[in-house]
Amino acid sequence: MKKTLFAAIVAALFAVGCTNNAAQPAEGAAEQATITSSDIAFVKADSLLVMSDIYLTEGVALQKKLEAAQQSWAKKEQGFQYEAAQLQEKYQKGLITTLKAQETEESLNKRVQNYQQSMQKEAAVLDEENFVLQNRINMLVAEAIEEINKDGKYKLILNSSALLDGAQALDITQDLLKIVNEKYAAEKAAAPKAE
């Protein structure tokens, strides 16, 4: 789950496509469009993601929140395991009665169940935050792609993760990054200030 945020966002960016705003050939025309290198561009989606302001602020913060939650969960689980081992040791040494051991075990089991429910709720909240962040990033990237290709210049925009080789002149990552960051800044400026 730790690397899920980054991987999911990169995968979602891979799914973002470009629209073809170029005029279609007249109906019945047998002529196929010729595509030249200037009609093709690629984006380094993973670089775009990690360099974007939205990821550097909200994505990194969410990643830290997730890591803190995972550490907390691991610590709590270790605590329960320690308590169970201590109970077993006391019982085996004859330091507590069978009845007291059973009562303590039932109490521990109830605490574990309550903890698991709490952990599942917290995990669901983090998953939802991740989902919302992914959607926001996807929206910003889609809008940036639409803006950069509003004139229909590109017939094809590829994610470089599927690209074996490509001329640097076809890389529009920095151009998209600039637009994504501008759109994110505008989004933040338009958002009501939390008091």
Side-chain angles (χ1 to χ4, degrees):
M1 194 170 174
K2 181 177 178 182
K3 297 195 180 213
T4 305
L5 171 68
F6 182 75
I9 292 174
V10 170
L13 285 174
F14 181 70
V16 174
C18 68
T19 58
N20 185 354
N21 296 328
Q24 298 295 325
E27 189 173 315
E31 196 177 312
Q32 287 187 339
T34 303
I35 296 179
T36 64
S37 64
S38 64
D39 294 335
I40 300 171
F42 68 87
V43 178
K44 295 175 184 169
D46 52 350
S47 297
L48 175 67
L49 170 67
V50 297
M51 293 186 304
S52 69
D53 291 343
I54 188 170
Y55 182 78
L56 292 174
T57 54
E58 297 180 36
V60 169
L62 181 58
Q63 187 68 34
K64 287 179 182 177
K65 192 174 178 180
L66 176 61
E67 289 170 2
Q70 289 173 333
Q71 289 173 357
S72 171
W73 297 337
K75 187 176 180 180
K76 192 74 167 170
E77 288 172 9
Q78 288 172 348
F80 286 133
Q81 290 170 355
Y82 177 77
E83 284 185 56
Q86 290 295 310
L87 177 62
Q88 181 69 26
E89 184 179 329
K90 285 181 182 179
Y91 180 71
Q92 288 176 344
K93 288 181 177 180
L95 300 175
I96 57 174
T97 65
T98 303
L99 181 60
K100 181 67 175 171
Q102 288 173 343
E103 289 172 352
T104 306
E105 183 180 20
E106 286 176 21
S107 172
L108 181 60
N109 286 338
K110 285 180 185 177
R111 288 180 31 229
V112 167
Q113 287 176 348
N114 289 338
Y115 158 74
Q116 287 174 338
Q117 290 173 350
S118 173
M119 183 188 75
Q120 288 172 352
K121 286 178 184 176
E122 188 177 4
V125 168
L126 290 170
D127 283 344
E128 185 176 17
E129 287 180 33
N130 183 35
F131 179 75
V132 169
L133 180 61
Q134 285 179 40
N135 285 341
R136 289 179 53 224
I137 290 173
N138 289 343
M139 180 192 70
L140 290 172
V141 170
E143 289 174 1
I145 288 173
E146 187 176 316
E147 185 173 319
I148 210 165
N149 201 30
K150 64 184 166 200
D151 59 358
K153 176 181 178 181
Y154 301 112
K155 308 288 186 273
L156 183 65
I157 299 177
L158 301 169
N159 181 337
S160 68
S161 66
L163 187 66
L164 299 176
D165 190 24
Q168 279 305 114
L170 303 177
D171 184 359
I172 60 170
T173 305
Q174 290 301 317
D175 297 332
L176 279 177
L177 177 63
K178 181 181 175 193
I179 296 169
V180 166
N181 287 342
E182 288 170 357
K183 291 187 172 295
Y184 176 62
E187 178 185 287
K188 281 178 57 174
K193 300 287 182 196
E195 292 184 37

PDB file of all heavy atoms in Angstrom, residues 124-151:
ATOM      1  N   ALA A 124      -9.736   2.805   4.728  1.00  0.00           N
ATOM      2  CA  ALA A 124     -10.735   3.208   3.730  1.00  0.00           C
ATOM      3  C   ALA A 124     -10.671   4.715   3.483  1.00  0.00           C
ATOM      4  O   ALA A 124     -10.775   5.165   2.332  1.00  0.00           O
ATOM      5  CB  ALA A 124     -12.133   2.798   4.180  1.00  0.00           C
ATOM      6  N   VAL A 125     -10.474   5.494   4.541  1.00  0.00           N
ATOM      7  CA  VAL A 125     -10.348   6.944   4.389  1.00  0.00           C
ATOM      8  C   VAL A 125      -9.111   7.283   3.561  1.00  0.00           C
ATOM      9  O   VAL A 125      -9.160   8.125   2.656  1.00  0.00           O
ATOM     10  CB  VAL A 125     -10.307   7.639   5.775  1.00  0.00           C
ATOM     11  CG1 VAL A 125      -9.878   9.093   5.648  1.00  0.00           C
ATOM     12  CG2 VAL A 125     -11.668   7.549   6.455  1.00  0.00           C
ATOM     13  N   LEU A 126      -7.994   6.625   3.854  1.00  0.00           N
ATOM     14  CA  LEU A 126      -6.759   6.868   3.095  1.00  0.00           C
ATOM     15  C   LEU A 126      -6.918   6.448   1.637  1.00  0.00           C
ATOM     16  O   LEU A 126      -6.442   7.148   0.730  1.00  0.00           O
ATOM     17  CB  LEU A 126      -5.585   6.132   3.739  1.00  0.00           C
ATOM     18  CG  LEU A 126      -5.119   6.692   5.086  1.00  0.00           C
ATOM     19  CD1 LEU A 126      -4.121   5.745   5.746  1.00  0.00           C
ATOM     20  CD2 LEU A 126      -4.519   8.072   4.916  1.00  0.00           C
ATOM     21  N   ASP A 127      -7.590   5.323   1.395  1.00  0.00           N
ATOM     22  CA  ASP A 127      -7.842   4.889   0.016  1.00  0.00           C
ATOM     23  C   ASP A 127      -8.700   5.908  -0.725  1.00  0.00           C
ATOM     24  O   ASP A 127      -8.455   6.199  -1.900  1.00  0.00           O
ATOM     25  CB  ASP A 127      -8.533   3.519  -0.002  1.00  0.00           C
ATOM     26  CG  ASP A 127      -7.587   2.373   0.266  1.00  0.00           C
ATOM     27  OD1 ASP A 127      -6.358   2.568   0.174  1.00  0.00           O
ATOM     28  OD2 ASP A 127      -8.079   1.263   0.567  1.00  0.00           O
ATOM     29  N   GLU A 128      -9.692   6.457  -0.034  1.00  0.00           N
ATOM     30  CA  GLU A 128     -10.554   7.448  -0.676  1.00  0.00           C
ATOM     31  C   GLU A 128      -9.774   8.731  -0.977  1.00  0.00           C
ATOM     32  O   GLU A 128      -9.915   9.312  -2.052  1.00  0.00           O
ATOM     33  CB  GLU A 128     -11.763   7.759   0.209  1.00  0.00           C
ATOM     34  CG  GLU A 128     -12.744   8.696  -0.468  1.00  0.00           C
ATOM     35  CD  GLU A 128     -13.992   8.952   0.358  1.00  0.00           C
ATOM     36  OE1 GLU A 128     -13.998   8.680   1.574  1.00  0.00           O
ATOM     37  OE2 GLU A 128     -14.965   9.452  -0.227  1.00  0.00           O
ATOM     38  N   GLU A 129      -8.930   9.160  -0.036  1.00  0.00           N
ATOM     39  CA  GLU A 129      -8.094  10.338  -0.280  1.00  0.00           C
ATOM     40  C   GLU A 129      -7.184  10.106  -1.483  1.00  0.00           C
ATOM     41  O   GLU A 129      -6.999  11.001  -2.314  1.00  0.00           O
ATOM     42  CB  GLU A 129      -7.255  10.669   0.959  1.00  0.00           C
ATOM     43  CG  GLU A 129      -8.049  11.264   2.094  1.00  0.00           C
ATOM     44  CD  GLU A 129      -7.186  11.581   3.306  1.00  0.00           C
ATOM     45  OE1 GLU A 129      -5.998  11.942   3.123  1.00  0.00           O
ATOM     46  OE2 GLU A 129      -7.689  11.475   4.428  1.00  0.00           O
ATOM     47  N   ASN A 130      -6.610   8.917  -1.578  1.00  0.00           N
ATOM     48  CA  ASN A 130      -5.755   8.561  -2.711  1.00  0.00           C
ATOM     49  C   ASN A 130      -6.546   8.592  -4.016  1.00  0.00           C
ATOM     50  O   ASN A 130      -6.078   9.122  -5.028  1.00  0.00           O
ATOM     51  CB  ASN A 130      -5.132   7.185  -2.474  1.00  0.00           C
ATOM     52  CG  ASN A 130      -4.177   6.791  -3.577  1.00  0.00           C
ATOM     53  OD1 ASN A 130      -3.479   7.611  -4.142  1.00  0.00           O
ATOM     54  ND2 ASN A 130      -4.144   5.505  -3.874  1.00  0.00           N
ATOM     55  N   PHE A 131      -7.743   8.045  -3.991  1.00  0.00           N
ATOM     56  CA  PHE A 131      -8.611   8.010  -5.175  1.00  0.00           C
ATOM     57  C   PHE A 131      -8.929   9.428  -5.648  1.00  0.00           C
ATOM     58  O   PHE A 131      -8.840   9.735  -6.841  1.00  0.00           O
ATOM     59  CB  PHE A 131      -9.895   7.237  -4.845  1.00  0.00           C
ATOM     60  CG  PHE A 131     -10.875   7.156  -5.965  1.00  0.00           C
ATOM     61  CD1 PHE A 131     -10.657   6.310  -7.045  1.00  0.00           C
ATOM     62  CD2 PHE A 131     -12.032   7.928  -5.952  1.00  0.00           C
ATOM     63  CE1 PHE A 131     -11.568   6.230  -8.093  1.00  0.00           C
ATOM     64  CE2 PHE A 131     -12.934   7.861  -6.991  1.00  0.00           C
ATOM     65  CZ  PHE A 131     -12.714   7.017  -8.061  1.00  0.00           C
ATOM     66  N   VAL A 132      -9.284  10.295  -4.694  1.00  0.00           N
ATOM     67  CA  VAL A 132      -9.612  11.682  -5.034  1.00  0.00           C
ATOM     68  C   VAL A 132      -8.385  12.395  -5.614  1.00  0.00           C
ATOM     69  O   VAL A 132      -8.486  13.100  -6.615  1.00  0.00           O
ATOM     70  CB  VAL A 132     -10.171  12.429  -3.800  1.00  0.00           C
ATOM     71  CG1 VAL A 132     -10.254  13.934  -4.049  1.00  0.00           C
ATOM     72  CG2 VAL A 132     -11.545  11.874  -3.428  1.00  0.00           C
ATOM     73  N   LEU A 133      -7.232  12.190  -4.985  1.00  0.00           N
ATOM     74  CA  LEU A 133      -6.006  12.813  -5.492  1.00  0.00           C
ATOM     75  C   LEU A 133      -5.692  12.321  -6.904  1.00  0.00           C
ATOM     76  O   LEU A 133      -5.341  13.116  -7.783  1.00  0.00           O
ATOM     77  CB  LEU A 133      -4.834  12.528  -4.549  1.00  0.00           C
ATOM     78  CG  LEU A 133      -3.495  13.141  -4.971  1.00  0.00           C
ATOM     79  CD1 LEU A 133      -3.580  14.667  -5.028  1.00  0.00           C
ATOM     80  CD2 LEU A 133      -2.395  12.704  -4.020  1.00  0.00           C
ATOM     81  N   GLN A 134      -5.830  11.025  -7.133  1.00  0.00           N
ATOM     82  CA  GLN A 134      -5.592  10.479  -8.479  1.00  0.00           C
ATOM     83  C   GLN A 134      -6.516  11.127  -9.495  1.00  0.00           C
ATOM     84  O   GLN A 134      -6.085  11.507 -10.592  1.00  0.00           O
ATOM     85  CB  GLN A 134      -5.832   8.967  -8.493  1.00  0.00           C
ATOM     86  CG  GLN A 134      -4.756   8.159  -7.848  1.00  0.00           C
ATOM     87  CD  GLN A 134      -5.107   6.683  -7.894  1.00  0.00           C
ATOM     88  OE1 GLN A 134      -5.628   6.190  -8.876  1.00  0.00           O
ATOM     89  NE2 GLN A 134      -4.823   5.982  -6.817  1.00  0.00           N
ATOM     90  N   ASN A 135      -7.791  11.252  -9.140  1.00  0.00           N
ATOM     91  CA  ASN A 135      -8.753  11.858 -10.062  1.00  0.00           C
ATOM     92  C   ASN A 135      -8.410  13.311 -10.346  1.00  0.00           C
ATOM     93  O   ASN A 135      -8.519  13.769 -11.489  1.00  0.00           O
ATOM     94  CB  ASN A 135     -10.170  11.752  -9.499  1.00  0.00           C
ATOM     95  CG  ASN A 135     -10.724  10.354  -9.611  1.00  0.00           C
ATOM     96  OD1 ASN A 135     -10.247   9.541 -10.396  1.00  0.00           O
ATOM     97  ND2 ASN A 135     -11.721  10.055  -8.814  1.00  0.00           N
ATOM     98  N   ARG A 136      -7.980  14.038  -9.326  1.00  0.00           N
ATOM     99  CA  ARG A 136      -7.609  15.437  -9.525  1.00  0.00           C
ATOM    100  C   ARG A 136      -6.387  15.542 -10.433  1.00  0.00           C
ATOM    101  O   ARG A 136      -6.338  16.396 -11.324  1.00  0.00           O
ATOM    102  CB  ARG A 136      -7.355  16.111  -8.182  1.00  0.00           C
ATOM    103  CG  ARG A 136      -8.644  16.322  -7.394  1.00  0.00           C
ATOM    104  CD  ARG A 136      -8.451  16.975  -6.048  1.00  0.00           C
ATOM    105  NE  ARG A 136      -7.712  18.215  -6.142  1.00  0.00           N
ATOM    106  CZ  ARG A 136      -6.725  18.546  -5.298  1.00  0.00           C
ATOM    107  NH1 ARG A 136      -6.364  17.720  -4.333  1.00  0.00           N
ATOM    108  NH2 ARG A 136      -6.108  19.686  -5.422  1.00  0.00           N
ATOM    109  N   ILE A 137      -5.399  14.699 -10.205  1.00  0.00           N
ATOM    110  CA  ILE A 137      -4.203  14.720 -11.054  1.00  0.00           C
ATOM    111  C   ILE A 137      -4.570  14.342 -12.484  1.00  0.00           C
ATOM    112  O   ILE A 137      -4.137  14.996 -13.440  1.00  0.00           O
ATOM    113  CB  ILE A 137      -3.112  13.791 -10.486  1.00  0.00           C
ATOM    114  CG1 ILE A 137      -2.550  14.382  -9.188  1.00  0.00           C
ATOM    115  CG2 ILE A 137      -1.990  13.581 -11.503  1.00  0.00           C
ATOM    116  CD1 ILE A 137      -1.587  13.480  -8.444  1.00  0.00           C
ATOM    117  N   ASN A 138      -5.377  13.311 -12.645  1.00  0.00           N
ATOM    118  CA  ASN A 138      -5.813  12.896 -13.988  1.00  0.00           C
ATOM    119  C   ASN A 138      -6.536  14.032 -14.700  1.00  0.00           C
ATOM    120  O   ASN A 138      -6.323  14.268 -15.894  1.00  0.00           O
ATOM    121  CB  ASN A 138      -6.730  11.679 -13.914  1.00  0.00           C
ATOM    122  CG  ASN A 138      -6.000  10.424 -13.535  1.00  0.00           C
ATOM    123  OD1 ASN A 138      -4.781  10.355 -13.610  1.00  0.00           O
ATOM    124  ND2 ASN A 138      -6.739   9.430 -13.096  1.00  0.00           N
ATOM    125  N   MET A 139      -7.399  14.745 -13.952  1.00  0.00           N
ATOM    126  CA  MET A 139      -8.144  15.850 -14.537  1.00  0.00           C
ATOM    127  C   MET A 139      -7.187  16.969 -14.984  1.00  0.00           C
ATOM    128  O   MET A 139      -7.305  17.492 -16.101  1.00  0.00           O
ATOM    129  CB  MET A 139      -9.152  16.406 -13.532  1.00  0.00           C
ATOM    130  CG  MET A 139      -9.979  17.576 -14.066  1.00  0.00           C
ATOM    131  SD  MET A 139     -10.894  18.413 -12.760  1.00  0.00           S
ATOM    132  CE  MET A 139      -9.554  19.202 -11.863  1.00  0.00           C
ATOM    133  N   LEU A 140      -6.224  17.298 -14.125  1.00  0.00           N
ATOM    134  CA  LEU A 140      -5.266  18.347 -14.479  1.00  0.00           C
ATOM    135  C   LEU A 140      -4.440  17.955 -15.702  1.00  0.00           C
ATOM    136  O   LEU A 140      -4.206  18.782 -16.594  1.00  0.00           O
ATOM    137  CB  LEU A 140      -4.345  18.651 -13.296  1.00  0.00           C
ATOM    138  CG  LEU A 140      -4.983  19.346 -12.094  1.00  0.00           C
ATOM    139  CD1 LEU A 140      -4.003  19.414 -10.930  1.00  0.00           C
ATOM    140  CD2 LEU A 140      -5.480  20.734 -12.465  1.00  0.00           C
ATOM    141  N   VAL A 141      -4.004  16.702 -15.755  1.00  0.00           N
ATOM    142  CA  VAL A 141      -3.209  16.241 -16.903  1.00  0.00           C
ATOM    143  C   VAL A 141      -4.061  16.225 -18.172  1.00  0.00           C
ATOM    144  O   VAL A 141      -3.611  16.670 -19.233  1.00  0.00           O
ATOM    145  CB  VAL A 141      -2.586  14.853 -16.620  1.00  0.00           C
ATOM    146  CG1 VAL A 141      -1.969  14.260 -17.877  1.00  0.00           C
ATOM    147  CG2 VAL A 141      -1.552  14.953 -15.509  1.00  0.00           C
ATOM    148  N   ALA A 142      -5.299  15.741 -18.053  1.00  0.00           N
ATOM    149  CA  ALA A 142      -6.190  15.714 -19.231  1.00  0.00           C
ATOM    150  C   ALA A 142      -6.447  17.129 -19.742  1.00  0.00           C
ATOM    151  O   ALA A 142      -6.423  17.373 -20.963  1.00  0.00           O
ATOM    152  CB  ALA A 142      -7.502  15.022 -18.881  1.00  0.00           C
ATOM    153  N   GLU A 143      -6.677  18.067 -18.813  1.00  0.00           N
ATOM    154  CA  GLU A 143      -6.887  19.460 -19.223  1.00  0.00           C
ATOM    155  C   GLU A 143      -5.626  20.042 -19.860  1.00  0.00           C
ATOM    156  O   GLU A 143      -5.708  20.792 -20.834  1.00  0.00           O
ATOM    157  CB  GLU A 143      -7.306  20.308 -18.018  1.00  0.00           C
ATOM    158  CG  GLU A 143      -8.711  20.020 -17.537  1.00  0.00           C
ATOM    159  CD  GLU A 143      -9.066  20.771 -16.242  1.00  0.00           C
ATOM    160  OE1 GLU A 143      -8.210  21.534 -15.728  1.00  0.00           O
ATOM    161  OE2 GLU A 143     -10.188  20.581 -15.761  1.00  0.00           O
ATOM    162  N   ALA A 144      -4.468  19.697 -19.311  1.00  0.00           N
ATOM    163  CA  ALA A 144      -3.200  20.192 -19.871  1.00  0.00           C
ATOM    164  C   ALA A 144      -2.982  19.628 -21.271  1.00  0.00           C
ATOM    165  O   ALA A 144      -2.547  20.349 -22.176  1.00  0.00           O
ATOM    166  CB  ALA A 144      -2.044  19.829 -18.948  1.00  0.00           C
ATOM    167  N   ILE A 145      -3.277  18.343 -21.446  1.00  0.00           N
ATOM    168  CA  ILE A 145      -3.130  17.728 -22.770  1.00  0.00           C
ATOM    169  C   ILE A 145      -4.091  18.381 -23.756  1.00  0.00           C
ATOM    170  O   ILE A 145      -3.716  18.692 -24.889  1.00  0.00           O
ATOM    171  CB  ILE A 145      -3.345  16.200 -22.703  1.00  0.00           C
ATOM    172  CG1 ILE A 145      -2.154  15.549 -22.000  1.00  0.00           C
ATOM    173  CG2 ILE A 145      -3.542  15.605 -24.094  1.00  0.00           C
ATOM    174  CD1 ILE A 145      -2.319  14.070 -21.727  1.00  0.00           C
ATOM    175  N   GLU A 146      -5.317  18.606 -23.307  1.00  0.00           N
ATOM    176  CA  GLU A 146      -6.298  19.263 -24.179  1.00  0.00           C
ATOM    177  C   GLU A 146      -5.830  20.667 -24.557  1.00  0.00           C
ATOM    178  O   GLU A 146      -5.933  21.075 -25.723  1.00  0.00           O
ATOM    179  CB  GLU A 146      -7.652  19.343 -23.462  1.00  0.00           C
ATOM    180  CG  GLU A 146      -8.765  19.862 -24.331  1.00  0.00           C
ATOM    181  CD  GLU A 146     -10.098  19.830 -23.616  1.00  0.00           C
ATOM    182  OE1 GLU A 146     -10.401  18.821 -22.958  1.00  0.00           O
ATOM    183  OE2 GLU A 146     -10.831  20.833 -23.724  1.00  0.00           O
ATOM    184  N   GLU A 147      -5.274  21.396 -23.592  1.00  0.00           N
ATOM    185  CA  GLU A 147      -4.792  22.751 -23.866  1.00  0.00           C
ATOM    186  C   GLU A 147      -3.598  22.740 -24.812  1.00  0.00           C
ATOM    187  O   GLU A 147      -3.535  23.544 -25.744  1.00  0.00           O
ATOM    188  CB  GLU A 147      -4.417  23.448 -22.557  1.00  0.00           C
ATOM    189  CG  GLU A 147      -4.022  24.892 -22.750  1.00  0.00           C
ATOM    190  CD  GLU A 147      -3.824  25.613 -21.438  1.00  0.00           C
ATOM    191  OE1 GLU A 147      -4.630  25.400 -20.519  1.00  0.00           O
ATOM    192  OE2 GLU A 147      -2.848  26.397 -21.351  1.00  0.00           O
ATOM    193  N   ILE A 148      -2.663  21.837 -24.576  1.00  0.00           N
ATOM    194  CA  ILE A 148      -1.454  21.801 -25.408  1.00  0.00           C
ATOM    195  C   ILE A 148      -1.777  21.324 -26.833  1.00  0.00           C
ATOM    196  O   ILE A 148      -1.068  21.634 -27.774  1.00  0.00           O
ATOM    197  CB  ILE A 148      -0.354  20.933 -24.768  1.00  0.00           C
ATOM    198  CG1 ILE A 148       1.018  21.455 -25.163  1.00  0.00           C
ATOM    199  CG2 ILE A 148      -0.484  19.475 -25.119  1.00  0.00           C
ATOM    200  CD1 ILE A 148       2.139  20.911 -24.309  1.00  0.00           C
ATOM    201  N   ASN A 149      -2.878  20.610 -26.975  1.00  0.00           N
ATOM    202  CA  ASN A 149      -3.246  20.074 -28.289  1.00  0.00           C
ATOM    203  C   ASN A 149      -4.551  20.686 -28.801  1.00  0.00           C
ATOM    204  O   ASN A 149      -5.243  20.096 -29.625  1.00  0.00           O
ATOM    205  CB  ASN A 149      -3.365  18.546 -28.226  1.00  0.00           C
ATOM    206  CG  ASN A 149      -3.243  17.909 -29.584  1.00  0.00           C
ATOM    207  OD1 ASN A 149      -2.566  18.413 -30.464  1.00  0.00           O
ATOM    208  ND2 ASN A 149      -3.924  16.787 -29.756  1.00  0.00           N
ATOM    209  N   LYS A 150      -4.878  21.887 -28.323  1.00  0.00           N
ATOM    210  CA  LYS A 150      -6.142  22.506 -28.744  1.00  0.00           C
ATOM    211  C   LYS A 150      -6.177  22.808 -30.241  1.00  0.00           C
ATOM    212  O   LYS A 150      -7.242  22.856 -30.831  1.00  0.00           O
ATOM    213  CB  LYS A 150      -6.438  23.756 -27.929  1.00  0.00           C
ATOM    214  CG  LYS A 150      -5.468  24.889 -28.094  1.00  0.00           C
ATOM    215  CD  LYS A 150      -5.804  26.036 -27.158  1.00  0.00           C
ATOM    216  CE  LYS A 150      -4.627  26.997 -27.099  1.00  0.00           C
ATOM    217  NZ  LYS A 150      -4.689  27.815 -25.918  1.00  0.00           N
ATOM    218  N   ASP A 151      -5.020  22.958 -30.839  1.00  0.00           N
ATOM    219  CA  ASP A 151      -4.968  23.217 -32.275  1.00  0.00           C
ATOM    220  C   ASP A 151      -4.904  21.925 -33.099  1.00  0.00           C
ATOM    221  O   ASP A 151      -4.849  21.965 -34.322  1.00  0.00           O
ATOM    222  CB  ASP A 151      -3.782  24.114 -32.622  1.00  0.00           C
ATOM    223  CG  ASP A 151      -2.442  23.513 -32.210  1.00  0.00           C
ATOM    224  OD1 ASP A 151      -2.435  22.413 -31.606  1.00  0.00           O
ATOM    225  OD2 ASP A 151      -1.403  24.149 -32.482  1.00  0.00           O
TER     226      ASP A 151
END
